[in-house]
């Protein structure tokens, strides 16, 4: 699965919870499912048989079921002649389980027969309704624990089975499922037909899918696999790009893994209501519309990149996740870390000019920040309940695990790592595996200590800090402790048994050496131009240098370091400052050293941190003074760039867009009037000569926008339904309006029932996290809690709670704490803990750094009213 990109990631704290695992001893072998959904009544009926093998004789069988109304359950010995016997059904709703108890003891191979009814819910999980203004669709999302809402099942990833699926649907509708349709015949029910699908390979229940509606598709083919990208009929013209992306990625993976994609076809389907970004159901991938549909002719590169990444992510899961599945959800990282790392490998091979290495470096830096908070968790954590499992889908399982995998590949070399991956997959095909299986395969193949390295990163929580000191000539002392933002003001001395492959920059290729608790001094490579200890920005650790080492790096920062390494350095210095060991003035000095930075991603990363200085540290007049510094320093650079040129490189467009965005944010009058003009042109139908700036322009114009502009946006939202990207863009722009009357309108609109569940929480989250709107939004949310809560799904509630992390006062922290003590939100306890911790961290950061910022501004900001500067 890929998370929705606006979602705020959460972490997990293990609480004492009732174990909800199924009892052992019963193994499903094969399911036969026949479902008849009623899209108008929002219900469905099901007939199911499950062939199971019993390890030992027993009178009862327990499986998972939720929101299922059983009609009758019976069993027959498989292949035998004994009469059927009927079960007494005992449901345990709190465990989402049902127990079938039979008069006679069962043993060996048994076939269960189950007839039941279910509901097509509106909570975007299980078998649910997805709606457009024209009609309803019935679709599925089962990961992690919602197959049990569609069919009673042994709903755990290790309990794999084969599936025969059939659906009876309206004559004009079709069904897309994991395999091909093998039979299509009229039903005994008038005006309906029954579609039967080929038997699936052995697979986990959470990967089953069936999608009912009038979908239309574009088609392609690669390596003898037919590929389709499908949508509602009005959007099928936006599906071609995804087919191209899938053709490239599927062929890439067939080669990379050395194991051919096994399904008879590959379908990718965009769904109007979809909570996650996308889902890797075996052979039947589902997507949020904005993550699959794109107009190749008009979409900007970020929108195309997003689709390419998500397609590459879901396709890599067909191997990592679908063919070989984690044994249990505690090792979710095996699925998600791998797919997160792999998505840029494939998409980067397709479009090398899209600068994925810089994106990876920025992601790494942001993830290290996230992981340094006191509320973090290890990559592998104990989980038992659906609530706990849902909270595993966070930045740690995705980005941290992906970064650790990238670090290991960098250490071993591409070919050795790839051979280890192949061996691991081959050994567990159509089965399940654990973390130990993965690192043992890599260690056996490479004869390097991958097991020790990976174990230390999978089991220790947080971020290791490598502190360099100068020892005797030719050597460097490097100590390793766990870095933390949240323990006192200083870097923690928490020790963990880290084994870290530290890679030094040299004139040619990086030289890596493993730092362990027993080995704390490493030789410095002979031909290093500077001592930089995270070559290629692949290592999952922070580095501190001596003042002399840092000065030497700074002197050659744009010539000796790659863009990815510069992003890494920015992150290290920012983290050091945040932990209280550095001065915010020194960080801002680095930002000014990088002001002529030639790479857009590097500049974007450092300016992103400068805006954090503004939001988290600056108060009162210092905010305006910091804005004036930005205008004075960066406005000349923006002006010197000029307008767009024909055949402009992507990086150049990004640079202009970054500068435009930060100057608008700093209230630069020239940029603001350009933003208003571009927005006006957009709404009066004039073509822009700089489309790369439009998104930023509309957002900036909204910030100071009035009622007329707001009304235009509302009209545009209604009209934009034909282009999901545009619709989402405009919808989220509503959250940027700062006029209190308009903020109120947005809040009311979000809970009015006119905004899809999938979008309402993310708009609320923006309103709750922006410094300009958060106070008003928070007050309103408390006063209108029942209406807000009615919009929340199992995952989106945590996004709303997580958005409160941006407050920075004791009063707000106490309000948040006491409000949620009496107003509960599903699966959000860890989001709340994390928000409260972030607020505390911010209070401390501000207390330490605000005086330093004030001093720095005394020597760098022009004196006077901000409006008189930069005009
Ligand atoms: Zn995924």
């Amino acid at each position: 699965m890929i998370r929705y990109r606006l979602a705020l990631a959460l972490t997990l704290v293990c609480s004492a919870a009732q174990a909800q695992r199924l009892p052992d001893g019963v193994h499903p072998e094969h399911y036969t499912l026949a479902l008849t959904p009623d899209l108008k009544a929002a219900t469905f009926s099901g007939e199911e048989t499950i062939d199971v093998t019993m390890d030992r004789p027993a009178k009862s069988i327990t499986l998972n079921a939720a929101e299922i109304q059983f009609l009758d359950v019976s069993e027959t010995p498989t292949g035998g002649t004994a009469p059927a016997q009927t079960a007494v059904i005992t449901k345990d709703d709190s465990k989402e389980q049902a127990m079938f108890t039979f008069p006679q003891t069962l043993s060996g191979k048994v076939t269960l027969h189950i007839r039941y009814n279910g509901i097509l819910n509106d909570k975007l999980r299980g078998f649910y309704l997805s709606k457009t203004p024209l009609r309803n669709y019935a679709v599925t999302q089962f990961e992690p624990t919602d197959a049990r809402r569609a069919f009673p099942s042994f709903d755990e990833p290790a309990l794999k089975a084969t599936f025969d699926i059939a659906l009876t649907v309206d004559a004009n509708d079709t069904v897309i499922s994991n395999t091909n349709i093998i039979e299509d015949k009229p039903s005994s029910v008038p005006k309906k037909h029954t579609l039967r699908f080929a038997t699936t390979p052995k697979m986990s229940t959470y990967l089953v899918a069936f999608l009912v509606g009038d979908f239309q598709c574009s088609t392609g083919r690669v390596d003898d696999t037919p590929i389709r990208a499908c949508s509602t009929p009005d959007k099928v013209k936006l599906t071609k790009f995804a087919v191209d992306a899938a053709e490239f990625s599927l062929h890439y993976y067939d080669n990379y893994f050395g194991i051919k994609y096994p399904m008879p076809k590959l379908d990718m389907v965009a769904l109007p209501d979809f909570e996650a970004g996308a889902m890797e159901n075996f052979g039947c991938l589902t997507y949020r519309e904005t993550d699959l549909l794109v107009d190749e002719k008009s979409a900007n590169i970020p929108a195309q990149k997003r689709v390419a990444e998500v397609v590459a992510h879901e396709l890599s899961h067909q191997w990592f996740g679908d063919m070989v599945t984690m044994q249990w959800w505690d090792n979710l990282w095996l699925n998600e870390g791998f797919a997160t790392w792999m998505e840029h490998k494939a998409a980067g091979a397709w479009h090398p000019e899209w600068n994925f290495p810089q994106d990876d470096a920025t992601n790494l830096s942001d993830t290290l920040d996230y992981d340094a908070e006191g509320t973090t968790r290890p990559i592998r954590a104990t989980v038992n309940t659906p609530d706990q499992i849902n909270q595993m889908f966070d930045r740690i399982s995705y980005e941290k695990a992906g970064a650790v995998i990238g670090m290991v590949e960098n250490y071993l070399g591409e070919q050795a790592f790839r051979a280890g991956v192949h061996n691991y997959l081959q050994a567990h095909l159509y089965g399940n595996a654990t973390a130990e299986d993965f690192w043992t395969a890599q260690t056996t193949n490479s004869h390097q200590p991958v097991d020790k390295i990976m174990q230390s990163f999978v089991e220790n929580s947080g971020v290791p800090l490598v502190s360099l000191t100068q020892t005797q000539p030719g050597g460097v002392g490097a100590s390793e402790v766990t870095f933390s933002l949240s323990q006192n003001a200083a870097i923690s001395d928490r020790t963990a048994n880290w084994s870290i492959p530290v890679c030094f920059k040299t004139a040619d290729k990086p030289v890596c050496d493993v730092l362990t608790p027993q080995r704390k001094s490493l030789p410095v490579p002979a031909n290093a131009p500077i001592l930089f200890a995270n070559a290629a920005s692949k290592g999952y650790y922070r580095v501190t240098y001596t003042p002399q080492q840092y000065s030497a790096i700074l002197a050659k920062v744009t010539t000796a370091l790659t863009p990815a390494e510069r992003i890494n350095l920015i992150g290290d210095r920012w983290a050091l400052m945040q932990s209280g060991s550095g001065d915010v003035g020194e960080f801002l000095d680095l930002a000014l050293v990088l002001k002529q930075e030639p790479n857009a991603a590097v500049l974007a990363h450092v300016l992103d941190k400068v805006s954090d200085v503004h939001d988290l540290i600056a108060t009162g007049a210092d905010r305006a003074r910091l804005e004036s510094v930005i205008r004075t320093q960066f406005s000349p650079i923006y002006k010197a760039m000029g307008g767009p040129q024909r055949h402009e490189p992507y990086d150049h467009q990004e640079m202009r867009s970054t500068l435009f965005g930060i100057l608008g944010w700093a209230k630069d009058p020239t940029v603001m009037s350009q933003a208003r003009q571009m927005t006006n042109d957009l709404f009066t139908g004039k073509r822009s000569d700089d489309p790369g700036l439009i998104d930023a322009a509309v957002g900036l114009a909204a910030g100071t926008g009035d009622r007329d502009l707001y009304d235009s946006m509302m009209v545009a939202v209604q009209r934009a339904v034909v282009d999901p990207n545009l619709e989402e863009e405009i919808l989220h722009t509503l959250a940027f309006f700062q006029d209190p009357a308009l903020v109120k309108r947005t809040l009311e609109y979000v809970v009015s029932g006119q905004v899809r569940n999938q979008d309402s929480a993310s708009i609320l989250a923006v309103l709750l996290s922006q410094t300009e709107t958060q106070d008003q939004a928070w007050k309103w949310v408390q006063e209108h809690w029942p209406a807000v809560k009615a919009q929340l799904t199992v995952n989106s509630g945590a996004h709303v709670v997580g958005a409160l992390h941006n407050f920075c006062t004791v009063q707000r922290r106490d309000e948040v704490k006491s409000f949620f003590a009496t107003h509960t939100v599903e699966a959000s306890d860890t989001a709340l803990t994390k928000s409260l911790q972030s607020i505390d961290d911010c209070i401390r950061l501000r207390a330490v750094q605000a005086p330093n910022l004030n001093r720095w501004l005394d020597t760098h900001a022009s004196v006077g009213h901000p409006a008189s500067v930069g005009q």
Side-chain angles (χ1 to χ4, degrees):
M1 188 153 59
I2 202 161
R3 293 164 304 151
Y4 178 48
R5 65 184 177 282
L6 292 179
L8 293 157
L10 314 167
T11 56
L12 183 84
V13 174
C14 299
S15 53
Q18 194 185 10
Q20 295 194 5
R21 300 291 297 272
L22 292 171
D24 61 2
V26 182
H27 307 277
E29 308 289 345
H30 181 72
Y31 292 77
T32 306
L33 271 180
L35 299 174
T36 306
D38 181 336
L39 275 56
K40 287 203 176 64
T43 58
F44 64 94
S45 61
E47 283 197 47
E48 179 184 25
T49 65
I50 314 175
D51 299 335
V52 303
T53 303
M54 303 189 64
D55 286 350
R56 51 187 173 271
K59 280 193 168 178
S60 63
I61 289 178
T62 300
L63 44 53
N64 294 110
E67 296 171 342
I68 295 284
Q69 185 201 353
F70 288 98
L71 300 176
D72 51 66
V73 175
S74 59
E75 70 81 30
T76 47
T78 307
T81 52
Q85 48 172 343
T86 304
V88 173
I89 303 155
T90 315
K91 290 210 285 183
D92 183 340
D93 291 340
S94 69
K95 287 184 167 181
E96 301 182 348
Q97 291 177 356
M99 184 167 70
F100 305 150
T101 306
F102 296 93
Q104 306 293 323
T105 302
L106 315 173
S107 64
K109 293 189 181 299
V110 169
T111 301
L112 298 171
H113 306 268
I114 305 168
R115 288 197 316 122
Y116 63 97
N117 289 323
I119 49 168
L120 297 172
N121 69 70
D122 62 353
K123 296 294 182 193
L124 314 181
R125 61 172 171 174
F127 199 12
Y128 71 90
L129 275 190
S130 179
K131 298 175 183 173
T132 70
L134 296 177
R135 59 161 295 159
N136 289 351
Y137 295 79
V139 300
T140 56
Q141 167 61 36
F142 292 159
E143 193 183 20
T145 58
D146 292 316
R148 63 192 65 170
R149 290 171 204 279
F151 57 99
S153 48
F154 298 85
D155 196 13
E156 296 190 359
L159 298 174
K160 290 190 170 187
T162 52
F163 293 82
D164 281 333
I165 294 170
L167 278 96
T168 299
V169 300
D170 289 352
N172 295 328
D173 276 350
T174 189
V175 183
I176 302 174
S177 185
N178 304 88
T179 56
N180 283 330
I181 294 172
I182 51 168
E183 185 183 82
D184 180 351
K185 62 174 189 188
S187 159
S188 53
V189 186
K191 294 185 185 165
K192 286 190 183 280
H193 63 150
T194 300
L195 302 170
R196 218 154 57 75
F197 293 84
T199 306
T200 69
K202 224 175 143 193
M203 58 190 271
S204 305
T205 45
Y206 79 90
L207 294 166
V208 171
F210 28 87
L211 317 168
V212 181
D214 57 355
F215 300 106
Q216 292 186 8
C217 312
S218 294
T219 59
R221 171 180 284 270
V222 75
D223 297 352
D224 290 330
T225 302
I227 296 174
R228 296 191 298 174
C230 314
S231 68
T232 56
D234 54 326
K235 290 169 184 150
V236 69
K237 60 184 180 296
L238 305 176
T239 52
K240 185 70 183 71
F241 180 82
V243 172
D244 296 346
E247 283 178 345
F248 183 90
S249 293
L250 196 66
H251 179 66
Y252 182 90
Y253 294 142
D254 279 341
N255 283 324
Y256 182 88
F257 294 118
I259 298 167
K260 195 180 174 307
Y261 174 71
M263 299 298 266
K265 54 87 181 175
L266 173 76
D267 285 329
M268 305 181 289
V269 189
L271 302 177
D273 289 281
F274 194 73
E275 174 125 59
M279 176 64 209
E280 68 269 21
N281 314 301
F282 214 175
C284 181
L285 285 57
T286 45
Y287 293 76
R288 184 178 273 247
E289 288 185 334
T290 46
D291 286 337
L292 189 73
L293 307 179
V294 71
D295 185 340
E296 291 168 278
K297 293 188 193 73
S298 65
N300 58 22
I301 290 175
Q304 295 182 35
K305 267 176 91 169
R306 175 69 188 170
V307 172
E309 283 169 346
V310 178
V311 167
H313 178 107
E314 302 310 328
L315 276 179
S316 77
H317 273 312
Q318 303 299 300
W319 286 261
F320 256 83
D322 296 7
M323 282 183 233
V324 179
T325 311
M326 75 257 135
Q327 182 73 22
W328 177 246
W329 300 106
D330 59 341
N331 273 318
L332 176 67
W333 73 276
L334 276 175
N335 278 13
E336 297 305 347
F338 200 90
T340 301
W341 168 75
M342 197 84 202
E343 69 188 47
H344 280 182
K345 210 168 171 65
W350 191 32
H351 279 284
E353 76 284 10
W354 284 351
N355 294 338
F356 286 110
Q358 282 98 289
D359 292 354
D360 290 339
T362 304
N363 260 330
L364 173 66
S365 182
D366 293 345
T367 304
L368 289 166
D369 282 350
Y370 175 91
D371 195 19
E373 292 180 16
T375 46
T376 197
R377 66 167 177 92
I379 287 178
R380 179 157 62 185
T382 305
V383 288
N384 282 307
T385 67
D387 241 30
Q388 293 171 337
I389 294 165
N390 270 304
Q391 295 182 72
M392 285 294 271
F393 291 79
D394 67 358
R395 199 164 188 124
I396 300 298
S397 289
Y398 285 73
E399 280 82 2
K400 179 177 182 179
V404 169
I405 287 167
M407 172 171 72
V408 171
E409 187 210 30
N410 185 56
Y411 167 64
L412 290 181
E414 262 186 89
Q415 288 315 317
F417 183 77
R418 176 176 163 177
V421 167
H422 172 87
N423 294 350
Y424 160 81
L425 289 174
Q426 196 68 51
H428 301 282
L429 273 185
Y430 302 106
N432 296 77
T434 62
E436 283 74 8
D437 292 325
F438 182 74
W439 65 59
T440 302
Q442 291 291 357
T443 307
T444 306
N445 182 65
S446 66
H447 308 292
Q448 298 295 326
V450 179
D451 47 355
K452 294 212 169 47
I453 294 168
M454 291 203 81
Q455 186 171 11
S456 84
F457 280 88
V458 166
E459 292 182 351
N460 291 323
S461 67
V463 175
L465 175 74
V466 176
S467 303
L468 297 193
T469 51
Q470 200 74 52
T471 59
Q472 70 282 10
V476 59
S479 66
E480 31 93 280
V481 296
T482 302
F483 176 72
S484 174
L485 290 179
S486 302
Q487 294 189 350
N488 308 320
I491 292 171
S492 156
D493 63 354
R494 279 192 292 163
T495 51
N497 290 323
W498 293 108
S499 283
I500 311 167
V502 175
C503 297
F504 291 101
K505 175 101 182 162
T506 73
D508 36 86
K509 68 182 178 83
V511 172
C512 303
D513 211 340
V514 182
L515 186 66
T516 68
Q518 294 78 37
R519 187 158 175 270
K520 288 180 179 292
S521 187
L522 304 175
V524 175
N527 59 347
I530 47 171
L531 192 63
F532 182 76
N534 200 341
S537 185
K538 297 283 190 186
Y540 195 83
Y541 50 85
R542 290 295 191 199
V543 185
T544 63
Y545 299 92
T546 65
Q548 294 78 5
Q549 290 163 349
Y550 180 59
S551 301
I553 293 170
L554 218 49
K556 294 183 177 175
V557 69
T558 42
T559 52
L561 299 187
T562 64
E565 290 163 347
R566 297 202 286 280
I567 289 169
N568 194 278
L569 181 72
I570 292 164
D572 281 351
R573 303 313 287 186
W574 172 258
L576 204 64
M577 185 281 295
Q578 268 198 310
S579 73
S581 302
D583 184 311
V584 67
E586 188 224 54
F587 183 82
L588 291 168
D589 287 340
L590 172 64
L592 295 189
V593 166
L594 291 170
K595 96 178 167 179
Q596 297 284 4
E597 168 61 44
N599 182 279
V602 179
L603 189 69
H605 194 55
V606 78
L607 290 177
D608 187 43
K609 299 299 182 200
V610 172
S611 79
D612 282 349
V613 172
H614 179 276
D615 291 355
L616 303 179
I617 298 173
T619 52
D622 279 354
R623 285 193 171 168
R625 292 209 296 167
L626 184 59
E627 289 165 11
S628 89
V629 173
I630 297 298
R631 292 192 299 270
T632 312
Q633 297 287 337
F634 290 94
S635 177
I637 300 170
Y638 174 68
K639 284 177 180 152
M641 279 196 84
Q645 293 139 25
R646 278 168 69 86
H647 308 302
E648 188 177 36
Y650 171 53
D651 199 63
H652 205 254
Q653 296 171 32
E654 285 287 285
M655 179 67 87
R656 205 172 50 258
S657 156
T658 298
L659 287 165
F660 180 82
I662 190 83
L663 286 167
W665 168 86
K667 307 186 181 75
D668 181 90
T670 314
V671 164
M672 282 311 293
S673 87
Q674 192 185 348
R676 283 190 210 97
Q677 186 61 48
M678 289 178 78
T679 306
N680 203 30
D681 288 351
L682 183 71
F683 286 110
T684 51
K686 271 192 214 158
R687 260 183 83 84
S688 170
D689 57 0
D690 201 351
L693 299 188
I694 284 193
D695 292 352
V698 174
L700 290 171
T704 56
D706 59 11
R707 212 180 78 183
D708 288 347
L709 183 62
Y710 192 94
D711 289 339
S712 308
M713 296 258 184
M714 287 299 269
V715 173
V717 169
Q718 320 295 338
R719 284 194 192 141
V721 289
V722 288
D723 182 344
N725 285 293
L726 186 63
E727 184 189 14
E728 183 189 81
E729 194 80 50
I730 301 172
L731 200 54
H732 283 92
T733 302
L734 295 178
F736 298 145
F737 283 85
Q738 293 170 21
D739 177 335
L742 301 175
V743 172
K744 182 164 174 277
R745 267 179 74 180
T746 305
L747 287 163
E748 286 165 353
Y749 181 56
V750 163
V751 301
S752 68
Q754 297 173 69
V755 180
R756 289 182 190 282
N757 266 354
Q758 66 180 19
D759 295 316
S760 51
S762 55
I763 300 172
L764 264 180
V766 175
L767 288 166
L768 286 167
S769 59
Q770 293 176 134
T771 47
E772 298 83 0
T773 54
Q774 61 186 178
D775 288 324
Q776 184 185 352
W778 170 232
K779 187 163 181 285
W780 192 92
V781 163
Q782 292 175 84
E783 288 166 0
H784 298 81
W785 182 247
V788 172
K789 192 165 181 188
Q791 294 293 315
L792 303 179
T793 63
V794 66
N795 291 313
S796 68
H799 300 163
V800 170
V801 176
L804 298 163
H805 77 286
N806 257 9
F807 282 127
C808 201
T809 64
V810 173
Q811 185 195 340
R812 289 283 181 261
R813 181 198 61 200
D814 293 347
E815 284 171 14
V816 170
K817 200 172 181 176
S818 71
F819 183 79
F820 289 108
T822 51
H823 300 77
T824 52
V825 181
E826 197 175 0
S828 73
D829 48 342
T830 54
L832 179 62
T833 310
K834 196 156 180 66
S835 278
L836 294 171
Q837 175 75 62
S838 287
I839 299 172
D840 278 337
D841 287 346
C842 183
I843 292 168
R844 181 189 52 73
L845 176 71
R846 186 175 282 177
V848 173
Q849 298 291 356
N852 296 338
L853 175 64
N854 189 273
R855 263 196 307 281
W856 187 88
L857 288 168
D858 285 345
T859 56
H860 290 83
S862 313
V863 186
H865 190 270
S868 66
V869 184
Q871 290 188 351

